[in-house]
Amino acid sequence: QTVVANWGQRPFEHAAPSNHKCLTTTSLPTPTIADGSDYFDTVLYSGDGSSSKTVTGYSFTPDFLWIKERTNNGGDYGHRLMNSVRGADVSLRSNGSNSERDSSSTIGGGVEAFVSGGFRIDQNTSGGSANNNNQNNSTSTYVAWAWLANTADSSNNDGNITSNIRKNTTAGFSIAVYPFDNNNGNQTVGHGLGQIPDLVIRKDTNVGDPWSVYSKAVGFTQRSSLQNTAAWSGTTTFGSASATTSVNRANNMNSGTYIDWSFVSVPGFSKIGTYEGNGDPDGPFVFTDFRVGWLLLKEVTDTGSWLIWDVKRRTFSPQGPYLLADDSAQESTTALVDFLSNGFKIRTSTGSMNTDGEDYLYYAIAENPLQANGGLAR
């Protein structure tokens, strides 16, 4: 017998039955965000040691910028995180508990301003030094991840602490800066997203306390720290209650000024959740419904580093170059994960990514949603 199938290569003789669609990516729901780079993007650049350097390449002016030197270890080659609410010229480092650093008063300088499509790095030559290991060392290459918050700063009074926020409800992201007084007990602070955050990253700016990281998937009564490899524990600055659609909880913190970066999953653009390891080099596949462009992973139930990949440092799978958010080390080129058209797949049995029965938190951001990626599949 001969069977001839029409997969769409020629017109159909009959109309499709009602409530049926063609088996093609164009039949999927149209995503809210068709191009992830409109709200998040990665830019690579090389340092030149100049007194002032402007780095561009984004389709937006960054509101949250995270820079890491790729080729050196230790010293001032660590991570630097800046945001538009506090100002581009002050930064925190994810691999340490230090309070905020002002680049304009630090030998070597650093990012000084956000500009259209990027940022500007200036040297500070006080003390006779002109080096800029922080973001523009002449022998270094860098990666810079940027998020768009999209609105002007505004006061938020949803909690009993007034927060100064910048938010992007389309992309599920907000920055909230607020004062905390430990004499006032349990407090709440508005995040502005209208949904319970899937991920909250918290850091003081002037006290020097450790980072705090919370996830709805893990439970807000459990806390991790961005600066180390420890497992989630019950020691929490959220207290015993979860976040709500309007506020995060604040408790057991030293008095000072704090920042909450809050994120919610957006179909076709971002996904935050957990997966269970199987201990096999042919590891688990995690469905995201988009082609992954950036990925953060952390083991939940045991020790393990915070690992970060992106498609700009290697444009094909398996993804090799990864950085550790908890360490100033240069990037490793070991290939451990595949980025696919609709998710990612673990390609190692290493404990920090795939111990049998252990849980892992992930935060993935799209390069392209599956519906809008031209039908790419793998």
Side-chain angles (χ1 to χ4, degrees), residues 56-335:
T56 59
Y58 306 108
S59 62
F60 53 86
T61 301
D63 286 299
F64 174 30
L65 180 65
W66 186 337
I67 297 178
K68 176 64 177 76
E69 202 272 356
R70 301 169 57 192
T71 49
N72 288 284
N73 290 302
D76 229 342
Y77 296 110
H79 299 257
R80 280 293 159 187
L81 287 71
M82 295 133 279
N83 70 85
S84 57
V85 180
R86 291 291 295 167
D89 58 331
V90 290
S91 64
L92 294 160
R93 62 171 185 161
S94 63
N95 54 295
S97 61
N98 310 63
S99 57
E100 208 169 51
R101 184 180 75 180
D102 185 345
S103 62
S104 62
S105 60
T106 301
I107 293 177
V111 172
E112 195 66 29
F114 295 132
V115 300
S116 178
F119 52 92
R120 191 186 77 244
I121 307 162
D122 291 339
Q123 283 187 352
N124 169 31
T125 58
S126 61
S129 173
N131 104 3
N132 193 339
N133 289 349
N134 306 321
Q135 286 93 47
N136 191 26
N137 182 46
S138 61
T139 61
S140 295
T141 58
Y142 296 82
V143 58
W145 306 299
W147 287 255
L148 172 67
N150 208 33
T151 61
D153 292 2
S154 62
S155 294
N156 183 292
N157 297 301
D158 290 339
N160 53 27
I161 305 174
T162 297
S163 59
N164 188 26
I165 69 169
R166 185 166 286 204
K167 63 182 180 179
N168 188 335
T169 54
T170 300
F173 163 59
S174 73
I175 306 165
V177 176
Y178 57 95
F180 180 83
D181 186 341
N182 63 10
N183 293 316
N184 294 335
N186 295 336
Q187 299 175 63
T188 56
V189 54
H191 53 67
L193 292 176
Q195 302 179 58
I196 298 175
D198 291 300
L199 180 69
V200 178
I201 300 175
R202 174 175 291 172
K203 182 70 176 74
D204 68 84
T205 66
N206 57 348
V207 181
D209 282 342
W211 291 81
S212 294
V213 183
Y214 302 94
S215 169
K216 184 171 67 174
V218 177
F220 288 105
T221 59
Q222 298 292 306
R223 168 193 178 224
S224 186
S225 181
L226 201 60
Q227 73 197 60
N228 61 47
T229 63
W232 257 253
S233 70
T235 303
T236 170
T237 64
F238 253 73
S240 59
S242 70
T244 72
T245 57
S246 58
V247 298
N248 292 329
R249 311 287 179 174
N251 188 29
N252 297 323
M253 304 189 305
N254 289 315
S255 296
T257 300
Y258 286 79
I259 304 174
D260 280 6
W261 290 270
S262 299
F263 306 85
V264 297
S265 300
V266 175
F269 172 70
S270 63
K271 191 170 184 181
I272 300 161
T274 58
Y275 68 86
E276 183 177 320
N278 63 13
D280 193 289
D282 185 15
F285 165 73
V286 180
F287 176 74
T288 61
D289 196 25
F290 52 76
R291 178 173 174 79
V292 177
W294 185 87
L295 180 64
L296 172 72
L297 287 183
K298 172 69 176 77
E299 188 167 7
V300 172
T301 42
D302 205 343
T303 58
S305 287
W306 293 86
L307 299 101
I308 307 174
W309 294 264
D310 62 73
V311 294
K312 294 295 180 69
R313 286 179 291 144
R314 185 171 184 174
T315 59
F316 56 90
S317 285
Q319 288 302 125
Y322 66 86
L323 289 159
L324 307 179
D326 51 271
D327 200 305
S328 62
Q330 68 188 70
E331 66 184 13
S332 171
T333 58
T334 305

